[in-house]
Amino acid sequence: MKKALLLGESWTTHMIHQKGFDSFTTTEYVEGGREYAEALRGDGWEVVHLPAHTIETAFPTDLDTLRSYDLVVISDVGANTFLLSRAVFNTSVSEPNRLALIREYVLGGGGLLMVGGYLSFSGVDAKAGYANSPIGDLLPVEVLEVDDRAEHPEGATVKVLRPEHPAIGAAGELWPSLLGFNRTKPKDGADVLAEVNGHPLVAVAAAGRGRTGVFTSDMSPHWAPPPFMEWTGYAPLWRALSTWVAGD
């Protein structure tokens, strides 16, 4: 049984409702990534999901534990969540660098997949901050150092360049449109398997003894609209991409 560690894909929304003189607040906590996890579990994978707020306390702090996973997936959670725990930020206590640990894991033979979102790659207001992080140079694409979001409410067109590649699997060549993505640049030596509006969408590469891959749009809304989530190629794509990056 293959084992994946899904990191991120959760958020808390705190809203202020103003009605004339009066106001009140509501708070909602949401976890995404359910469809991705179900796709892998349907193919015999074990998927462990660490929502963004649990990375600080539950992410493995030693390489042996991290190596028990075939694949690490970072989706919509920025570098600061890995780098700035409460111990480091509030009390200046030194801790292992979680992103440096992921780097060592990949170079030693592990698989790393980054999935797009407002806090992936560079992200909204460039807050995701992966360009100069310990894993930035391992990805098959160059992470920009500006706000890299490309919003396309009219729909962004996907073009599959390498439908025969095993990381595409049975997804085929006709994919639904997406509502946005993170802009990146392909690196020399990387394989760009699909583009969205002319930018890399799916790309893979070797990194040391391991492999890395990217999907530069969402695995769930809002950039992945209902036609994409309900597309018959959704599960085959994620199974194939995850399996290839994990090393099979």
Side-chain angles (χ1 to χ4, degrees):
M1 178 183 291
K2 299 187 188 307
K3 191 175 180 181
L5 180 62
L6 173 60
L7 303 167
E9 275 301 314
S10 70
W11 56 94
T12 299
T13 303
H14 187 67
M15 299 181 66
I16 299 174
H17 305 252
Q18 189 74 39
K19 298 188 175 184
F21 181 85
D22 298 299
S23 66
F24 62 93
T25 61
T26 58
T27 302
E28 179 185 26
Y29 171 72
V30 180
E31 291 185 5
R34 176 177 57 86
E35 295 86 355
Y36 170 81
E38 288 179 352
L40 264 62
R41 288 170 181 146
D43 199 34
W45 286 68
E46 177 185 352
V47 180
V48 176
H49 182 198
L50 294 187
H53 67 281
T54 68
I55 291 172
E56 174 188 10
T57 56
F59 183 82
T61 55
D62 65 276
L63 193 57
D64 286 341
T65 302
L66 197 57
R67 283 174 173 159
S68 69
Y69 295 94
D70 300 283
L71 177 67
V72 172
V73 184
I74 298 175
S75 183
D76 213 356
V77 59
N80 280 332
T81 296
F82 294 91
L83 302 174
L84 293 175
S85 69
R86 281 169 289 185
V88 172
F89 188 73
N90 293 335
T91 61
S92 298
V93 173
S94 178
E95 288 186 342
N97 186 317
R98 294 167 176 82
L99 293 180
L101 194 65
I102 294 175
R103 177 185 182 85
E104 189 175 357
Y105 158 82
V106 173
L107 294 177
L112 173 64
L113 176 62
M114 181 171 285
V115 181
Y118 271 36
L119 281 168
S120 296
F121 301 99
S122 175
V124 61
D125 299 331
K127 288 180 178 178
Y130 283 105
N132 296 307
S133 76
I135 64 172
D137 66 328
L138 301 183
L139 299 175
V141 294
E142 179 185 340
V143 180
L144 306 183
E145 295 188 59
V146 297
D147 188 320
D148 63 0
R149 293 169 304 129
E151 303 286 356
H152 288 278
E154 78 285 4
T157 301
V158 176
K159 180 180 180 181
V160 180
L161 305 178
R162 298 276 303 280
E164 79 289 349
H165 195 284
I168 295 294
E173 297 185 55
L174 299 177
W175 296 16
S177 296
L178 296 161
L179 299 183
F181 56 91
N182 298 92
R183 293 176 293 111
T184 62
K185 297 179 180 179
K187 290 181 179 175
D188 292 340
D191 287 324
V192 178
L193 310 182
E195 294 179 340
V196 55
N197 278 24
H199 296 266
L201 175 63
V202 180
V204 294
R209 292 166 51 199
R211 293 177 174 180
T212 62
V214 297
F215 181 86
T216 62
S217 189
D218 274 331
M219 65 168 60
S220 52
H222 81 280
W223 280 344
F228 187 84
M229 302 301 296
E230 298 165 6
W231 168 47
T232 57
Y234 181 92
L237 169 64
W238 288 116
R239 291 169 182 171
L241 180 57
S242 299
T243 298
W244 190 93
V245 174
D248 290 337

